[in-house]
Short mmCIF file of all heavy atoms in Angstrom, two decimals:
data_model
loop_
_atom_site.label_atom_id
_atom_site.label_comp_id
_atom_site.label_asym_id
_atom_site.label_seq_id
_atom_site.Cartn_x
_atom_site.Cartn_y
_atom_site.Cartn_z
N LYS A 13 11.24 -15.59 14.50
CA LYS A 13 10.05 -16.10 15.20
C LYS A 13 8.80 -15.77 14.37
O LYS A 13 8.60 -14.64 13.97
CB LYS A 13 9.95 -15.45 16.58
CG LYS A 13 11.10 -15.86 17.48
CD LYS A 13 11.13 -15.03 18.73
CE LYS A 13 12.29 -15.49 19.61
NZ LYS A 13 12.48 -14.62 20.79
N ILE A 14 8.00 -16.79 14.15
CA ILE A 14 6.82 -16.59 13.31
C ILE A 14 5.57 -16.96 14.10
O ILE A 14 5.50 -18.03 14.72
CB ILE A 14 6.91 -17.46 12.03
CG1 ILE A 14 8.21 -17.14 11.26
CG2 ILE A 14 5.70 -17.21 11.14
CD1 ILE A 14 8.43 -18.01 10.03
N GLU A 15 4.59 -16.07 14.05
CA GLU A 15 3.35 -16.32 14.77
C GLU A 15 2.38 -17.15 13.92
O GLU A 15 2.45 -17.12 12.69
CB GLU A 15 2.66 -14.99 15.10
CG GLU A 15 3.42 -14.12 16.06
CD GLU A 15 2.77 -12.74 16.17
OE1 GLU A 15 1.55 -12.64 16.00
OE2 GLU A 15 3.51 -11.77 16.43
N THR A 18 0.53 -15.10 11.51
CA THR A 18 1.32 -14.73 10.34
C THR A 18 1.24 -15.81 9.27
O THR A 18 1.14 -15.51 8.09
CB THR A 18 2.80 -14.49 10.75
OG1 THR A 18 2.83 -13.58 11.83
CG2 THR A 18 3.62 -13.96 9.60
N LEU A 26 -1.25 -15.74 -0.53
CA LEU A 26 -0.98 -16.59 -1.69
C LEU A 26 -2.23 -16.82 -2.53
O LEU A 26 -2.14 -17.06 -3.73
CB LEU A 26 -0.39 -17.94 -1.25
CG LEU A 26 0.90 -17.88 -0.41
CD1 LEU A 26 1.43 -19.27 -0.18
CD2 LEU A 26 1.94 -17.00 -1.08
N THR A 27 -3.40 -16.73 -1.89
CA THR A 27 -4.63 -16.94 -2.65
C THR A 27 -4.94 -15.76 -3.57
O THR A 27 -5.73 -15.88 -4.48
CB THR A 27 -5.86 -17.18 -1.72
OG1 THR A 27 -6.11 -15.98 -0.98
CG2 THR A 27 -5.63 -18.33 -0.77
N THR A 29 -2.36 -13.85 -4.93
CA THR A 29 -1.14 -13.51 -5.67
C THR A 29 -1.34 -13.81 -7.15
O THR A 29 -1.77 -14.90 -7.51
CB THR A 29 0.05 -14.33 -5.11
OG1 THR A 29 0.33 -13.87 -3.79
CG2 THR A 29 1.29 -14.16 -5.98
N GLU A 30 -1.06 -12.80 -7.99
CA GLU A 30 -1.20 -12.96 -9.43
C GLU A 30 0.18 -12.92 -10.09
O GLU A 30 1.12 -12.39 -9.52
CB GLU A 30 -2.07 -11.83 -10.01
CG GLU A 30 -3.47 -11.75 -9.43
CD GLU A 30 -4.36 -12.89 -9.90
OE1 GLU A 30 -4.01 -13.58 -10.87
OE2 GLU A 30 -5.42 -13.10 -9.25
N GLU A 33 1.32 -8.08 -11.34
CA GLU A 33 0.75 -7.15 -10.35
C GLU A 33 1.36 -5.77 -10.57
O GLU A 33 2.49 -5.67 -11.07
CB GLU A 33 1.04 -7.63 -8.91
CG GLU A 33 0.37 -8.95 -8.57
CD GLU A 33 0.62 -9.37 -7.12
OE1 GLU A 33 1.25 -8.59 -6.36
OE2 GLU A 33 0.20 -10.48 -6.76
N SER A 37 4.17 2.42 -7.34
CA SER A 37 4.23 3.59 -8.22
C SER A 37 3.26 3.47 -9.38
O SER A 37 2.62 4.45 -9.77
CB SER A 37 5.64 3.76 -8.79
OG SER A 37 6.49 4.23 -7.81
N PHE A 40 -0.08 4.20 -8.04
CA PHE A 40 -0.18 5.64 -7.76
C PHE A 40 -0.47 6.41 -9.06
O PHE A 40 -1.26 7.36 -9.07
CB PHE A 40 1.12 6.14 -7.12
CG PHE A 40 1.09 7.59 -6.75
CD1 PHE A 40 0.36 8.04 -5.65
CD2 PHE A 40 1.80 8.52 -7.49
CE1 PHE A 40 0.34 9.37 -5.30
CE2 PHE A 40 1.78 9.85 -7.16
CZ PHE A 40 1.05 10.29 -6.05
N ASN A 41 0.18 5.99 -10.15
CA ASN A 41 -0.03 6.68 -11.42
C ASN A 41 -1.48 6.57 -11.92
O ASN A 41 -1.95 7.44 -12.66
CB ASN A 41 0.91 6.11 -12.50
CG ASN A 41 2.33 6.56 -12.27
OD1 ASN A 41 2.58 7.55 -11.58
ND2 ASN A 41 3.27 5.83 -12.83
N ASP A 44 -5.75 8.21 -9.44
CA ASP A 44 -6.65 9.38 -9.58
C ASP A 44 -7.74 9.10 -10.60
O ASP A 44 -8.91 9.43 -10.39
CB ASP A 44 -5.84 10.65 -9.94
CG ASP A 44 -4.84 10.44 -11.06
OD1 ASP A 44 -4.37 9.31 -11.23
OD2 ASP A 44 -4.50 11.41 -11.75
N ASP A 48 -11.75 8.92 -9.73
CA ASP A 48 -12.74 9.73 -10.44
C ASP A 48 -13.84 8.85 -11.02
O ASP A 48 -15.04 9.18 -10.93
CB ASP A 48 -12.08 10.52 -11.58
CG ASP A 48 -11.53 11.86 -11.09
OD1 ASP A 48 -11.71 12.17 -9.89
OD2 ASP A 48 -10.93 12.59 -11.89
N GLU A 75 -4.67 2.71 2.18
CA GLU A 75 -4.88 3.81 3.13
C GLU A 75 -4.94 5.15 2.40
O GLU A 75 -5.82 5.99 2.68
CB GLU A 75 -3.69 3.79 4.12
CG GLU A 75 -3.68 4.90 5.12
CD GLU A 75 -2.46 4.79 6.05
OE1 GLU A 75 -1.32 4.79 5.52
OE2 GLU A 75 -2.66 4.70 7.26
N GLU A 76 -4.05 5.34 1.45
CA GLU A 76 -4.04 6.60 0.71
C GLU A 76 -5.24 6.72 -0.23
O GLU A 76 -5.79 7.80 -0.41
CB GLU A 76 -2.72 6.73 -0.08
CG GLU A 76 -1.53 6.94 0.84
CD GLU A 76 -0.21 7.04 0.11
OE1 GLU A 76 -0.19 7.42 -1.07
OE2 GLU A 76 0.83 6.70 0.72
N ILE A 87 -13.91 18.32 -0.17
CA ILE A 87 -13.73 19.44 -1.11
C ILE A 87 -15.04 19.73 -1.84
O ILE A 87 -15.47 20.87 -1.94
CB ILE A 87 -12.61 19.12 -2.13
CG1 ILE A 87 -11.26 19.04 -1.41
CG2 ILE A 87 -12.57 20.17 -3.21
CD1 ILE A 87 -10.18 18.42 -2.26
N ARG B 49 -6.82 11.26 12.53
CA ARG B 49 -5.48 10.72 12.87
C ARG B 49 -4.65 11.68 13.68
O ARG B 49 -3.70 11.27 14.35
CB ARG B 49 -4.72 10.39 11.57
CG ARG B 49 -5.32 9.25 10.79
CD ARG B 49 -4.48 8.97 9.56
NE ARG B 49 -3.09 8.72 9.90
CZ ARG B 49 -2.41 7.66 9.47
NH1 ARG B 49 -3.01 6.78 8.71
NH2 ARG B 49 -1.16 7.50 9.78
N ARG B 77 -1.43 13.90 -16.95
CA ARG B 77 -1.83 13.39 -18.26
C ARG B 77 -3.26 13.73 -18.63
O ARG B 77 -3.73 13.36 -19.69
CB ARG B 77 -1.65 11.85 -18.27
CG ARG B 77 -0.20 11.40 -18.10
CD ARG B 77 -0.11 9.90 -17.99
NE ARG B 77 -0.83 9.39 -16.82
CZ ARG B 77 -0.83 8.13 -16.44
NH1 ARG B 77 -0.15 7.24 -17.12
NH2 ARG B 77 -1.51 7.74 -15.37
N SER B 80 -7.60 12.35 -15.30
CA SER B 80 -8.52 12.55 -14.16
C SER B 80 -8.74 14.05 -14.04
O SER B 80 -8.15 14.85 -14.79
CB SER B 80 -7.87 12.03 -12.87
OG SER B 80 -6.72 12.82 -12.56
N ARG B 81 -9.59 14.42 -13.08
CA ARG B 81 -9.70 15.86 -12.80
C ARG B 81 -8.37 16.34 -12.22
O ARG B 81 -7.74 15.61 -11.45
CB ARG B 81 -10.82 16.10 -11.78
CG ARG B 81 -12.20 15.87 -12.36
CD ARG B 81 -13.23 15.74 -11.28
NE ARG B 81 -13.43 16.98 -10.54
CZ ARG B 81 -14.29 17.11 -9.54
NH1 ARG B 81 -15.02 16.07 -9.15
NH2 ARG B 81 -14.43 18.26 -8.93
N THR B 84 -8.16 16.10 -8.48
CA THR B 84 -7.99 14.74 -7.94
C THR B 84 -6.51 14.36 -8.00
O THR B 84 -5.95 13.80 -7.03
CB THR B 84 -8.81 13.73 -8.78
OG1 THR B 84 -10.18 14.14 -8.81
CG2 THR B 84 -8.71 12.34 -8.17
N LYS B 88 -4.18 13.68 -4.70
CA LYS B 88 -3.52 12.39 -4.43
C LYS B 88 -2.05 12.61 -4.07
O LYS B 88 -1.50 11.90 -3.24
CB LYS B 88 -3.67 11.42 -5.63
CG LYS B 88 -2.63 11.57 -6.72
CD LYS B 88 -2.60 10.41 -7.70
CE LYS B 88 -1.61 10.73 -8.83
NZ LYS B 88 -1.52 9.68 -9.83
N HIS B 92 -0.46 11.60 -0.53
CA HIS B 92 0.76 10.76 -0.51
C HIS B 92 1.86 11.42 0.33
O HIS B 92 2.53 10.75 1.14
CB HIS B 92 1.24 10.52 -1.94
CG HIS B 92 2.41 9.61 -2.05
ND1 HIS B 92 2.36 8.29 -1.67
CD2 HIS B 92 3.68 9.82 -2.47
CE1 HIS B 92 3.53 7.73 -1.86
NE2 HIS B 92 4.35 8.63 -2.34
N ARG B 99 3.57 7.98 8.30
CA ARG B 99 4.09 6.61 8.50
C ARG B 99 5.55 6.66 8.94
O ARG B 99 5.97 5.90 9.81
CB ARG B 99 3.95 5.81 7.20
CG ARG B 99 2.52 5.38 6.88
CD ARG B 99 2.49 4.33 5.77
NE ARG B 99 2.92 4.85 4.49
CZ ARG B 99 2.13 5.37 3.56
NH1 ARG B 99 0.84 5.43 3.78
NH2 ARG B 99 2.60 5.81 2.42
N GLU B 116 4.24 -10.42 18.88
CA GLU B 116 3.33 -10.06 19.97
C GLU B 116 2.35 -11.17 20.27
O GLU B 116 1.80 -11.27 21.35
CB GLU B 116 2.58 -8.78 19.61
CG GLU B 116 3.49 -7.56 19.59
CD GLU B 116 2.73 -6.28 19.28
OE1 GLU B 116 1.55 -6.36 18.98
OE2 GLU B 116 3.37 -5.21 19.36
N TYR B 120 4.81 -19.70 16.63
CA TYR B 120 4.52 -21.05 16.15
C TYR B 120 5.75 -21.94 16.32
O TYR B 120 6.87 -21.56 15.98
CB TYR B 120 4.12 -21.02 14.67
CG TYR B 120 3.69 -22.37 14.18
CD1 TYR B 120 2.50 -22.93 14.64
CD2 TYR B 120 4.47 -23.10 13.30
CE1 TYR B 120 2.09 -24.18 14.22
CE2 TYR B 120 4.07 -24.35 12.86
CZ TYR B 120 2.89 -24.88 13.33
OH TYR B 120 2.49 -26.13 12.92
N GLN B 166 3.63 -9.62 9.97
CA GLN B 166 3.63 -9.88 11.41
C GLN B 166 3.79 -8.60 12.21
O GLN B 166 3.09 -8.38 13.21
CB GLN B 166 4.76 -10.86 11.76
CG GLN B 166 4.81 -11.26 13.22
CD GLN B 166 5.60 -12.56 13.37
OE1 GLN B 166 5.14 -13.61 12.96
NE2 GLN B 166 6.77 -12.47 13.96
N ASN B 183 9.03 0.36 -4.55
CA ASN B 183 8.76 -0.46 -5.73
C ASN B 183 9.61 -1.71 -5.78
O ASN B 183 9.14 -2.80 -6.08
CB ASN B 183 8.99 0.34 -7.01
CG ASN B 183 7.88 1.30 -7.26
OD1 ASN B 183 6.74 1.03 -6.93
ND2 ASN B 183 8.21 2.43 -7.84
N TYR B 186 8.37 -4.09 -3.25
CA TYR B 186 7.12 -4.73 -3.68
C TYR B 186 7.43 -5.88 -4.63
O TYR B 186 6.87 -6.98 -4.51
CB TYR B 186 6.17 -3.72 -4.36
CG TYR B 186 4.79 -4.32 -4.58
CD1 TYR B 186 3.80 -4.20 -3.62
CD2 TYR B 186 4.51 -5.09 -5.72
CE1 TYR B 186 2.55 -4.79 -3.79
CE2 TYR B 186 3.28 -5.70 -5.89
CZ TYR B 186 2.30 -5.54 -4.93
OH TYR B 186 1.09 -6.15 -5.09
N HIS B 190 6.59 -9.68 -4.11
CA HIS B 190 5.75 -10.34 -5.14
C HIS B 190 6.45 -11.63 -5.61
O HIS B 190 5.82 -12.69 -5.72
CB HIS B 190 5.53 -9.37 -6.29
CG HIS B 190 4.65 -9.91 -7.38
ND1 HIS B 190 4.75 -9.53 -8.68
CD2 HIS B 190 3.63 -10.82 -7.33
CE1 HIS B 190 3.84 -10.18 -9.41
NE2 HIS B 190 3.16 -10.96 -8.62
N ARG B 193 6.04 -14.23 -2.92
CA ARG B 193 4.68 -14.81 -2.87
C ARG B 193 4.49 -15.81 -4.01
O ARG B 193 3.90 -16.88 -3.83
CB ARG B 193 3.63 -13.70 -2.92
CG ARG B 193 3.49 -12.95 -1.60
CD ARG B 193 2.27 -12.01 -1.61
NE ARG B 193 2.50 -10.76 -2.28
CZ ARG B 193 2.03 -10.42 -3.45
NH1 ARG B 193 1.28 -11.25 -4.14
NH2 ARG B 193 2.29 -9.23 -3.98
N GLN B 197 3.73 -19.66 -3.54
CA GLN B 197 2.53 -20.21 -4.17
C GLN B 197 2.86 -21.50 -4.93
O GLN B 197 2.17 -22.52 -4.80
CB GLN B 197 2.00 -19.16 -5.16
CG GLN B 197 0.54 -19.24 -5.50
CD GLN B 197 0.14 -18.13 -6.46
OE1 GLN B 197 0.90 -17.74 -7.36
NE2 GLN B 197 -1.04 -17.58 -6.28
N HIS B 209 -5.84 -21.63 -2.75
CA HIS B 209 -7.29 -21.55 -2.50
C HIS B 209 -7.80 -22.85 -1.88
O HIS B 209 -8.59 -22.82 -0.93
CB HIS B 209 -8.04 -21.29 -3.80
CG HIS B 209 -8.00 -19.86 -4.24
ND1 HIS B 209 -8.73 -18.88 -3.66
CD2 HIS B 209 -7.27 -19.25 -5.22
CE1 HIS B 209 -8.49 -17.72 -4.25
NE2 HIS B 209 -7.60 -17.91 -5.19
#
Side-chain angles (χ1 to χ4, degrees):
Chain A
K13 295 169 179 173
I14 304 176
E15 296 172 29
T18 308
L26 302 186
T27 66
T29 292
E30 300 289 344
E33 295 182 5
S37 287
F40 182 74
N41 286 340
D44 47 334
D48 273 359
E75 177 180 58
E76 291 179 25
I87 293 167
Chain B
R49 293 181 56 129
R77 297 175 298 185
S80 65
R81 289 164 67 180
T84 305
K88 85 166 174 180
H92 184 64
R99 286 193 293 268
E116 290 182 354
Y120 186 69
Q166 183 160 291
N183 284 328
Y186 190 91
H190 182 210
R193 285 189 279 106
Q197 204 178 38
H209 281 285

